[in-house]
PDB file of all heavy atoms in Angstrom:
ATOM      1  N   GLY A   1     110.912  86.426  96.075  1.00  0.00           N
ATOM      2  CA  GLY A   1     110.145  87.329  96.918  1.00  0.00           C
ATOM      3  C   GLY A   1     108.651  87.096  96.853  1.00  0.00           C
ATOM      4  O   GLY A   1     107.953  87.141  97.876  1.00  0.00           O
ATOM      5  N   HIS A   2     108.121  86.829  95.660  1.00  0.00           N
ATOM      6  CA  HIS A   2     106.685  86.589  95.519  1.00  0.00           C
ATOM      7  C   HIS A   2     106.272  85.284  96.213  1.00  0.00           C
ATOM      8  O   HIS A   2     105.157  85.181  96.732  1.00  0.00           O
ATOM      9  CB  HIS A   2     106.299  86.563  94.039  1.00  0.00           C
ATOM     10  CG  HIS A   2     106.480  87.874  93.359  1.00  0.00           C
ATOM     11  ND1 HIS A   2     105.760  88.998  93.681  1.00  0.00           N
ATOM     12  CD2 HIS A   2     107.330  88.268  92.372  1.00  0.00           C
ATOM     13  CE1 HIS A   2     106.145  90.011  92.931  1.00  0.00           C
ATOM     14  NE2 HIS A   2     107.097  89.594  92.127  1.00  0.00           N
ATOM     15  N   CYS A   3     107.178  84.304  96.219  1.00  0.00           N
ATOM     16  CA  CYS A   3     106.897  83.052  96.928  1.00  0.00           C
ATOM     17  C   CYS A   3     106.801  83.307  98.433  1.00  0.00           C
ATOM     18  O   CYS A   3     105.938  82.738  99.126  1.00  0.00           O
ATOM     19  CB  CYS A   3     107.991  82.017  96.648  1.00  0.00           C
ATOM     20  SG  CYS A   3     108.232  81.627  94.899  1.00  0.00           S
ATOM     21  N   LYS A   4     107.690  84.155  98.932  1.00  0.00           N
ATOM     22  CA  LYS A   4     107.670  84.468 100.370  1.00  0.00           C
ATOM     23  C   LYS A   4     106.383  85.197 100.748  1.00  0.00           C
ATOM     24  O   LYS A   4     105.828  84.986 101.831  1.00  0.00           O
ATOM     25  CB  LYS A   4     108.886  85.329 100.717  1.00  0.00           C
ATOM     26  CG  LYS A   4     110.214  84.591 100.591  1.00  0.00           C
ATOM     27  CD  LYS A   4     111.396  85.522 100.829  1.00  0.00           C
ATOM     28  CE  LYS A   4     112.718  84.792 100.643  1.00  0.00           C
ATOM     29  NZ  LYS A   4     113.885  85.698 100.810  1.00  0.00           N
ATOM     30  N   LYS A   5     105.907  86.073  99.849  1.00  0.00           N
ATOM     31  CA  LYS A   5     104.645  86.772 100.124  1.00  0.00           C
ATOM     32  C   LYS A   5     103.463  85.826 100.101  1.00  0.00           C
ATOM     33  O   LYS A   5     102.503  85.969 100.865  1.00  0.00           O
ATOM     34  CB  LYS A   5     104.434  87.883  99.092  1.00  0.00           C
ATOM     35  CG  LYS A   5     105.400  89.041  99.214  1.00  0.00           C
ATOM     36  CD  LYS A   5     105.153  90.080  98.129  1.00  0.00           C
ATOM     37  CE  LYS A   5     106.146  91.233  98.221  1.00  0.00           C
ATOM     38  NZ  LYS A   5     105.925  92.236  97.153  1.00  0.00           N
ATOM     39  N   LEU A   6     103.520  84.839  99.213  1.00  0.00           N
ATOM     40  CA  LEU A   6     102.420  83.893  99.084  1.00  0.00           C
ATOM     41  C   LEU A   6     102.361  82.907 100.249  1.00  0.00           C
ATOM     42  O   LEU A   6     101.276  82.459 100.632  1.00  0.00           O
ATOM     43  CB  LEU A   6     102.560  83.121  97.763  1.00  0.00           C
ATOM     44  CG  LEU A   6     101.555  81.991  97.498  1.00  0.00           C
ATOM     45  CD1 LEU A   6     100.127  82.552  97.425  1.00  0.00           C
ATOM     46  CD2 LEU A   6     101.908  81.261  96.204  1.00  0.00           C
ATOM     47  N   ALA A   7     103.508  82.569 100.833  1.00  0.00           N
ATOM     48  CA  ALA A   7     103.599  81.473 101.804  1.00  0.00           C
ATOM     49  C   ALA A   7     102.574  81.534 102.935  1.00  0.00           C
ATOM     50  O   ALA A   7     101.854  80.553 103.171  1.00  0.00           O
ATOM     51  CB  ALA A   7     105.018  81.388 102.360  1.00  0.00           C
ATOM     52  N   PRO A   8     102.442  82.650 103.689  1.00  0.00           N
ATOM     53  CA  PRO A   8     101.461  82.661 104.787  1.00  0.00           C
ATOM     54  C   PRO A   8     100.017  82.571 104.298  1.00  0.00           C
ATOM     55  O   PRO A   8      99.167  81.978 104.974  1.00  0.00           O
ATOM     56  CB  PRO A   8     101.736  83.985 105.498  1.00  0.00           C
ATOM     57  CG  PRO A   8     102.420  84.838 104.490  1.00  0.00           C
ATOM     58  CD  PRO A   8     103.215  83.900 103.646  1.00  0.00           C
ATOM     59  N   GLU A   9      99.729  83.146 103.127  1.00  0.00           N
ATOM     60  CA  GLU A   9      98.374  83.071 102.578  1.00  0.00           C
ATOM     61  C   GLU A   9      98.057  81.641 102.140  1.00  0.00           C
ATOM     62  O   GLU A   9      96.945  81.146 102.343  1.00  0.00           O
ATOM     63  CB  GLU A   9      98.240  84.035 101.394  1.00  0.00           C
ATOM     64  CG  GLU A   9      98.460  85.493 101.744  1.00  0.00           C
ATOM     65  CD  GLU A   9      97.427  86.009 102.743  1.00  0.00           C
ATOM     66  OE1 GLU A   9      96.226  85.709 102.548  1.00  0.00           O
ATOM     67  OE2 GLU A   9      97.816  86.685 103.702  1.00  0.00           O
ATOM     68  N   TYR A  10      99.027  81.010 101.540  1.00  0.00           N
ATOM     69  CA  TYR A  10      98.867  79.622 101.076  1.00  0.00           C
ATOM     70  C   TYR A  10      98.648  78.693 102.265  1.00  0.00           C
ATOM     71  O   TYR A  10      97.801  77.797 102.226  1.00  0.00           O
ATOM     72  CB  TYR A  10     100.123  79.237 100.297  1.00  0.00           C
ATOM     73  CG  TYR A  10      99.993  78.018  99.406  1.00  0.00           C
ATOM     74  CD1 TYR A  10      99.046  77.961  98.389  1.00  0.00           C
ATOM     75  CD2 TYR A  10     100.859  76.939  99.554  1.00  0.00           C
ATOM     76  CE1 TYR A  10      98.951  76.860  97.554  1.00  0.00           C
ATOM     77  CE2 TYR A  10     100.782  75.825  98.724  1.00  0.00           C
ATOM     78  CZ  TYR A  10      99.825  75.792  97.721  1.00  0.00           C
ATOM     79  OH  TYR A  10      99.749  74.696  96.898  1.00  0.00           O
ATOM     80  N   GLU A  11      99.383  78.934 103.340  1.00  0.00           N
ATOM     81  CA  GLU A  11      99.227  78.113 104.553  1.00  0.00           C
ATOM     82  C   GLU A  11      97.854  78.331 105.188  1.00  0.00           C
ATOM     83  O   GLU A  11      97.176  77.371 105.595  1.00  0.00           O
ATOM     84  CB  GLU A  11     100.340  78.439 105.545  1.00  0.00           C
ATOM     85  CG  GLU A  11     100.202  77.746 106.902  1.00  0.00           C
ATOM     86  CD  GLU A  11     100.280  76.229 106.820  1.00  0.00           C
ATOM     87  OE1 GLU A  11     100.912  75.696 105.885  1.00  0.00           O
ATOM     88  OE2 GLU A  11      99.692  75.568 107.698  1.00  0.00           O
ATOM     89  N   LYS A  12      97.416  79.587 105.266  1.00  0.00           N
ATOM     90  CA  LYS A  12      96.084  79.869 105.819  1.00  0.00           C
ATOM     91  C   LYS A  12      95.002  79.178 104.994  1.00  0.00           C
ATOM     92  O   LYS A  12      94.055  78.584 105.545  1.00  0.00           O
ATOM     93  CB  LYS A  12      95.826  81.381 105.841  1.00  0.00           C
ATOM     94  CG  LYS A  12      96.446  82.119 107.007  1.00  0.00           C
ATOM     95  CD  LYS A  12      96.112  83.596 106.947  1.00  0.00           C
ATOM     96  CE  LYS A  12      94.626  83.845 107.104  1.00  0.00           C
ATOM     97  NZ  LYS A  12      94.283  85.288 107.072  1.00  0.00           N
ATOM     98  N   ALA A  13      95.123  79.257 103.687  1.00  0.00           N
ATOM     99  CA  ALA A  13      94.152  78.612 102.800  1.00  0.00           C
ATOM    100  C   ALA A  13      94.165  77.102 102.994  1.00  0.00           C
ATOM    101  O   ALA A  13      93.112  76.454 103.022  1.00  0.00           O
ATOM    102  CB  ALA A  13      94.445  78.970 101.348  1.00  0.00           C
ATOM    103  N   ALA A  14      95.361  76.531 103.133  1.00  0.00           N
ATOM    104  CA  ALA A  14      95.475  75.082 103.318  1.00  0.00           C
ATOM    105  C   ALA A  14      94.788  74.634 104.604  1.00  0.00           C
ATOM    106  O   ALA A  14      94.117  73.593 104.643  1.00  0.00           O
ATOM    107  CB  ALA A  14      96.948  74.675 103.340  1.00  0.00           C
ATOM    108  N   GLN A  15      94.941  75.412 105.665  1.00  0.00           N
ATOM    109  CA  GLN A  15      94.288  75.056 106.925  1.00  0.00           C
ATOM    110  C   GLN A  15      92.770  75.106 106.778  1.00  0.00           C
ATOM    111  O   GLN A  15      92.053  74.228 107.286  1.00  0.00           O
ATOM    112  CB  GLN A  15      94.757  76.001 108.025  1.00  0.00           C
ATOM    113  CG  GLN A  15      96.227  75.814 108.374  1.00  0.00           C
ATOM    114  CD  GLN A  15      96.580  76.377 109.732  1.00  0.00           C
ATOM    115  OE1 GLN A  15      95.720  76.580 110.587  1.00  0.00           O
ATOM    116  NE2 GLN A  15      97.860  76.612 109.953  1.00  0.00           N
ATOM    117  N   GLU A  16      92.279  76.128 106.090  1.00  0.00           N
ATOM    118  CA  GLU A  16      90.830  76.245 105.902  1.00  0.00           C
ATOM    119  C   GLU A  16      90.303  75.131 105.000  1.00  0.00           C
ATOM    120  O   GLU A  16      89.262  74.519 105.283  1.00  0.00           O
ATOM    121  CB  GLU A  16      90.506  77.616 105.296  1.00  0.00           C
ATOM    122  CG  GLU A  16      89.036  77.868 105.033  1.00  0.00           C
ATOM    123  CD  GLU A  16      88.202  77.930 106.298  1.00  0.00           C
ATOM    124  OE1 GLU A  16      88.766  78.276 107.366  1.00  0.00           O
ATOM    125  OE2 GLU A  16      86.992  77.624 106.232  1.00  0.00           O
ATOM    126  N   LEU A  17      91.014  74.835 103.923  1.00  0.00           N
ATOM    127  CA  LEU A  17      90.553  73.835 102.964  1.00  0.00           C
ATOM    128  C   LEU A  17      90.692  72.405 103.486  1.00  0.00           C
ATOM    129  O   LEU A  17      90.040  71.499 102.979  1.00  0.00           O
ATOM    130  CB  LEU A  17      91.322  73.989 101.649  1.00  0.00           C
ATOM    131  CG  LEU A  17      91.004  75.274 100.866  1.00  0.00           C
ATOM    132  CD1 LEU A  17      91.984  75.479  99.734  1.00  0.00           C
ATOM    133  CD2 LEU A  17      89.576  75.236 100.323  1.00  0.00           C
ATOM    134  N   SER A  18      91.521  72.213 104.504  1.00  0.00           N
ATOM    135  CA  SER A  18      91.633  70.879 105.101  1.00  0.00           C
ATOM    136  C   SER A  18      90.351  70.483 105.824  1.00  0.00           C
ATOM    137  O   SER A  18      90.095  69.295 106.062  1.00  0.00           O
ATOM    138  CB  SER A  18      92.816  70.834 106.071  1.00  0.00           C
ATOM    139  OG  SER A  18      92.572  71.654 107.206  1.00  0.00           O
ATOM    140  N   LYS A  19      89.512  71.479 106.147  1.00  0.00           N
ATOM    141  CA  LYS A  19      88.234  71.224 106.825  1.00  0.00           C
ATOM    142  C   LYS A  19      87.099  70.990 105.839  1.00  0.00           C
ATOM    143  O   LYS A  19      85.983  70.636 106.239  1.00  0.00           O
ATOM    144  CB  LYS A  19      87.874  72.418 107.728  1.00  0.00           C
ATOM    145  CG  LYS A  19      88.957  72.802 108.723  1.00  0.00           C
ATOM    146  CD  LYS A  19      88.633  74.139 109.381  1.00  0.00           C
ATOM    147  CE  LYS A  19      89.787  74.653 110.214  1.00  0.00           C
ATOM    148  NZ  LYS A  19      89.508  76.015 110.758  1.00  0.00           N
ATOM    149  N   HIS A  20      87.384  71.210 104.555  1.00  0.00           N
ATOM    150  CA  HIS A  20      86.349  71.054 103.541  1.00  0.00           C
ATOM    151  C   HIS A  20      86.013  69.586 103.360  1.00  0.00           C
ATOM    152  O   HIS A  20      86.839  68.700 103.583  1.00  0.00           O
ATOM    153  CB  HIS A  20      86.839  71.648 102.216  1.00  0.00           C
ATOM    154  CG  HIS A  20      85.788  71.709 101.150  1.00  0.00           C
ATOM    155  ND1 HIS A  20      85.584  70.702 100.239  1.00  0.00           N
ATOM    156  CD2 HIS A  20      84.884  72.674 100.855  1.00  0.00           C
ATOM    157  CE1 HIS A  20      84.603  71.038  99.418  1.00  0.00           C
ATOM    158  NE2 HIS A  20      84.161  72.238  99.772  1.00  0.00           N
ATOM    159  N   ASP A  21      84.779  69.295 102.958  1.00  0.00           N
ATOM    160  CA  ASP A  21      84.358  67.913 102.707  1.00  0.00           C
ATOM    161  C   ASP A  21      84.057  67.748 101.219  1.00  0.00           C
ATOM    162  O   ASP A  21      83.068  68.278 100.720  1.00  0.00           O
ATOM    163  CB  ASP A  21      83.106  67.578 103.535  1.00  0.00           C
ATOM    164  CG  ASP A  21      82.712  66.112 103.414  1.00  0.00           C
ATOM    165  OD1 ASP A  21      83.583  65.307 102.987  1.00  0.00           O
ATOM    166  OD2 ASP A  21      81.560  65.778 103.748  1.00  0.00           O
ATOM    167  N   PRO A  22      84.910  67.041 100.458  1.00  0.00           N
ATOM    168  CA  PRO A  22      86.147  66.397 100.916  1.00  0.00           C
ATOM    169  C   PRO A  22      87.273  67.416 101.080  1.00  0.00           C
ATOM    170  O   PRO A  22      87.209  68.501 100.495  1.00  0.00           O
ATOM    171  CB  PRO A  22      86.452  65.424  99.773  1.00  0.00           C
ATOM    172  CG  PRO A  22      85.911  66.118  98.567  1.00  0.00           C
ATOM    173  CD  PRO A  22      84.664  66.814  99.022  1.00  0.00           C
ATOM    174  N   PRO A  23      88.321  67.075 101.846  1.00  0.00           N
ATOM    175  CA  PRO A  23      89.430  68.009 102.030  1.00  0.00           C
ATOM    176  C   PRO A  23      90.096  68.357 100.693  1.00  0.00           C
ATOM    177  O   PRO A  23      90.200  67.513  99.802  1.00  0.00           O
ATOM    178  CB  PRO A  23      90.398  67.235 102.940  1.00  0.00           C
ATOM    179  CG  PRO A  23      89.551  66.207 103.605  1.00  0.00           C
ATOM    180  CD  PRO A  23      88.508  65.831 102.607  1.00  0.00           C
ATOM    181  N   ILE A  24      90.513  69.607 100.587  1.00  0.00           N
ATOM    182  CA  ILE A  24      91.260  70.045  99.411  1.00  0.00           C
ATOM    183  C   ILE A  24      92.716  70.196  99.842  1.00  0.00           C
ATOM    184  O   ILE A  24      93.024  70.959 100.762  1.00  0.00           O
ATOM    185  CB  ILE A  24      90.715  71.371  98.863  1.00  0.00           C
ATOM    186  CG1 ILE A  24      89.258  71.190  98.425  1.00  0.00           C
ATOM    187  CG2 ILE A  24      91.568  71.880  97.707  1.00  0.00           C
ATOM    188  CD1 ILE A  24      88.588  72.473  97.967  1.00  0.00           C
ATOM    189  N   VAL A  25      93.600  69.470  99.192  1.00  0.00           N
ATOM    190  CA  VAL A  25      94.997  69.389  99.611  1.00  0.00           C
ATOM    191  C   VAL A  25      95.844  70.421  98.865  1.00  0.00           C
ATOM    192  O   VAL A  25      95.798  70.499  97.636  1.00  0.00           O
ATOM    193  CB  VAL A  25      95.558  67.969  99.357  1.00  0.00           C
ATOM    194  CG1 VAL A  25      97.029  67.904  99.756  1.00  0.00           C
ATOM    195  CG2 VAL A  25      94.739  66.940 100.131  1.00  0.00           C
ATOM    196  N   LEU A  26      96.616  71.197  99.616  1.00  0.00           N
ATOM    197  CA  LEU A  26      97.592  72.111  99.046  1.00  0.00           C
ATOM    198  C   LEU A  26      98.990  71.589  99.376  1.00  0.00           C
ATOM    199  O   LEU A  26      99.242  71.148 100.496  1.00  0.00           O
ATOM    200  CB  LEU A  26      97.439  73.530  99.608  1.00  0.00           C
ATOM    201  CG  LEU A  26      96.083  74.220  99.471  1.00  0.00           C
ATOM    202  CD1 LEU A  26      96.201  75.700  99.827  1.00  0.00           C
ATOM    203  CD2 LEU A  26      95.528  74.075  98.070  1.00  0.00           C
ATOM    204  N   ALA A  27      99.879  71.635  98.409  1.00  0.00           N
ATOM    205  CA  ALA A  27     101.235  71.129  98.590  1.00  0.00           C
ATOM    206  C   ALA A  27     102.232  72.090  97.967  1.00  0.00           C
ATOM    207  O   ALA A  27     101.864  73.022  97.243  1.00  0.00           O
ATOM    208  CB  ALA A  27     101.368  69.737  97.966  1.00  0.00           C
ATOM    209  N   LYS A  28     103.516  71.855  98.232  1.00  0.00           N
ATOM    210  CA  LYS A  28     104.562  72.716  97.676  1.00  0.00           C
ATOM    211  C   LYS A  28     105.795  71.884  97.352  1.00  0.00           C
ATOM    212  O   LYS A  28     106.069  70.857  97.972  1.00  0.00           O
ATOM    213  CB  LYS A  28     104.923  73.833  98.654  1.00  0.00           C
ATOM    214  CG  LYS A  28     105.486  73.340  99.987  1.00  0.00           C
ATOM    215  CD  LYS A  28     105.769  74.500 100.940  1.00  0.00           C
ATOM    216  CE  LYS A  28     106.325  73.981 102.263  1.00  0.00           C
ATOM    217  NZ  LYS A  28     106.567  75.084 103.235  1.00  0.00           N
ATOM    218  N   VAL A  29     106.534  72.365  96.343  1.00  0.00           N
ATOM    219  CA  VAL A  29     107.772  71.722  95.919  1.00  0.00           C
ATOM    220  C   VAL A  29     108.830  72.805  95.744  1.00  0.00           C
ATOM    221  O   VAL A  29     108.590  73.807  95.061  1.00  0.00           O
ATOM    222  CB  VAL A  29     107.589  70.964  94.578  1.00  0.00           C
ATOM    223  CG1 VAL A  29     108.939  70.480  94.055  1.00  0.00           C
ATOM    224  CG2 VAL A  29     106.639  69.796  94.745  1.00  0.00           C
ATOM    225  N   ASP A  30     109.990  72.601  96.367  1.00  0.00           N
ATOM    226  CA  ASP A  30     111.111  73.516  96.159  1.00  0.00           C
ATOM    227  C   ASP A  30     111.739  73.185  94.810  1.00  0.00           C
ATOM    228  O   ASP A  30     112.577  72.303  94.684  1.00  0.00           O
ATOM    229  CB  ASP A  30     112.137  73.353  97.285  1.00  0.00           C
ATOM    230  CG  ASP A  30     113.356  74.262  97.117  1.00  0.00           C
ATOM    231  OD1 ASP A  30     113.411  74.973  96.086  1.00  0.00           O
ATOM    232  OD2 ASP A  30     114.241  74.255  97.996  1.00  0.00           O
ATOM    233  N   ALA A  31     111.327  73.916  93.785  1.00  0.00           N
ATOM    234  CA  ALA A  31     111.782  73.631  92.418  1.00  0.00           C
ATOM    235  C   ALA A  31     113.186  74.141  92.165  1.00  0.00           C
ATOM    236  O   ALA A  31     113.756  73.886  91.098  1.00  0.00           O
ATOM    237  CB  ALA A  31     110.809  74.234  91.408  1.00  0.00           C
ATOM    238  N   ASN A  32     113.753  74.862  93.141  1.00  0.00           N
ATOM    239  CA  ASN A  32     115.133  75.328  93.004  1.00  0.00           C
ATOM    240  C   ASN A  32     116.140  74.276  93.468  1.00  0.00           C
ATOM    241  O   ASN A  32     117.327  74.363  93.152  1.00  0.00           O
ATOM    242  CB  ASN A  32     115.323  76.614  93.813  1.00  0.00           C
ATOM    243  CG  ASN A  32     116.604  77.329  93.482  1.00  0.00           C
ATOM    244  OD1 ASN A  32     116.809  77.731  92.346  1.00  0.00           O
ATOM    245  ND2 ASN A  32     117.480  77.498  94.464  1.00  0.00           N
ATOM    246  N   ASP A  33     115.640  73.284  94.207  1.00  0.00           N
ATOM    247  CA  ASP A  33     116.484  72.182  94.667  1.00  0.00           C
ATOM    248  C   ASP A  33     116.888  71.334  93.464  1.00  0.00           C
ATOM    249  O   ASP A  33     116.046  70.958  92.648  1.00  0.00           O
ATOM    250  CB  ASP A  33     115.699  71.340  95.682  1.00  0.00           C
ATOM    251  CG  ASP A  33     116.560  70.301  96.378  1.00  0.00           C
ATOM    252  OD1 ASP A  33     117.453  69.732  95.726  1.00  0.00           O
ATOM    253  OD2 ASP A  33     116.316  70.032  97.568  1.00  0.00           O
ATOM    254  N   ASP A  34     118.175  71.025  93.337  1.00  0.00           N
ATOM    255  CA  ASP A  34     118.651  70.239  92.198  1.00  0.00           C
ATOM    256  C   ASP A  34     117.880  68.936  92.045  1.00  0.00           C
ATOM    257  O   ASP A  34     117.593  68.502  90.917  1.00  0.00           O
ATOM    258  CB  ASP A  34     120.148  69.929  92.352  1.00  0.00           C
ATOM    259  CG  ASP A  34     121.010  71.159  92.135  1.00  0.00           C
ATOM    260  OD1 ASP A  34     120.508  72.129  91.533  1.00  0.00           O
ATOM    261  OD2 ASP A  34     122.178  71.151  92.575  1.00  0.00           O
ATOM    262  N   LYS A  35     117.521  68.351  93.153  1.00  0.00           N
ATOM    263  CA  LYS A  35     116.785  67.082  93.138  1.00  0.00           C
ATOM    264  C   LYS A  35     115.432  67.218  92.455  1.00  0.00           C
ATOM    265  O   LYS A  35     114.937  66.274  91.814  1.00  0.00           O
ATOM    266  CB  LYS A  35     116.602  66.603  94.579  1.00  0.00           C
ATOM    267  CG  LYS A  35     115.767  65.360  94.760  1.00  0.00           C
ATOM    268  CD  LYS A  35     115.654  65.027  96.238  1.00  0.00           C
ATOM    269  CE  LYS A  35     114.817  63.783  96.471  1.00  0.00           C
ATOM    270  NZ  LYS A  35     114.708  63.447  97.917  1.00  0.00           N
ATOM    271  N   ASN A  36     114.837  68.420  92.568  1.00  0.00           N
ATOM    272  CA  ASN A  36     113.477  68.619  92.055  1.00  0.00           C
ATOM    273  C   ASN A  36     113.426  69.353  90.713  1.00  0.00           C
ATOM    274  O   ASN A  36     112.341  69.543  90.160  1.00  0.00           O
ATOM    275  CB  ASN A  36     112.650  69.409  93.084  1.00  0.00           C
ATOM    276  CG  ASN A  36     112.510  68.668  94.392  1.00  0.00           C
ATOM    277  OD1 ASN A  36     112.407  67.442  94.406  1.00  0.00           O
ATOM    278  ND2 ASN A  36     112.526  69.394  95.495  1.00  0.00           N
ATOM    279  N   LYS A  37     114.569  69.771  90.194  1.00  0.00           N
ATOM    280  CA  LYS A  37     114.564  70.514  88.923  1.00  0.00           C
ATOM    281  C   LYS A  37     113.939  69.732  87.771  1.00  0.00           C
ATOM    282  O   LYS A  37     113.277  70.318  86.910  1.00  0.00           O
ATOM    283  CB  LYS A  37     115.979  70.980  88.586  1.00  0.00           C
ATOM    284  CG  LYS A  37     116.410  72.168  89.447  1.00  0.00           C
ATOM    285  CD  LYS A  37     117.790  72.693  89.079  1.00  0.00           C
ATOM    286  CE  LYS A  37     118.134  73.907  89.929  1.00  0.00           C
ATOM    287  NZ  LYS A  37     119.487  74.429  89.635  1.00  0.00           N
ATOM    288  N   PRO A  38     114.118  68.383  87.720  1.00  0.00           N
ATOM    289  CA  PRO A  38     113.414  67.639  86.663  1.00  0.00           C
ATOM    290  C   PRO A  38     111.893  67.773  86.750  1.00  0.00           C
ATOM    291  O   PRO A  38     111.205  67.714  85.734  1.00  0.00           O
ATOM    292  CB  PRO A  38     113.869  66.190  86.897  1.00  0.00           C
ATOM    293  CG  PRO A  38     115.204  66.314  87.555  1.00  0.00           C
ATOM    294  CD  PRO A  38     115.081  67.524  88.448  1.00  0.00           C
TER     295      PRO A  38
END
């Protein structure tokens, strides 16, 4: 639930920070996916 609340704020921040010089990159990883658990 907290991830869902963060998602739109994180996306808004990423759009704003992509305009920064130099750009600041925000990324995400689905850590619940078996592939990404390591």
Side-chain angles (χ1 to χ4, degrees):
H2 294 295
C3 302
K4 292 175 182 177
K5 291 178 182 179
L6 175 62
E9 299 298 315
Y10 197 59
E11 174 63 27
K12 279 181 64 179
Q15 293 200 20
E16 179 66 26
L17 291 169
S18 67
K19 306 169 189 175
H20 188 269
D21 186 18
I24 298 175
V25 178
L26 304 191
K28 62 182 180 182
V29 172
D30 179 357
N32 193 61
D33 189 323
D34 288 341
K35 175 181 180 180
N36 298 324
K37 285 183 178 178

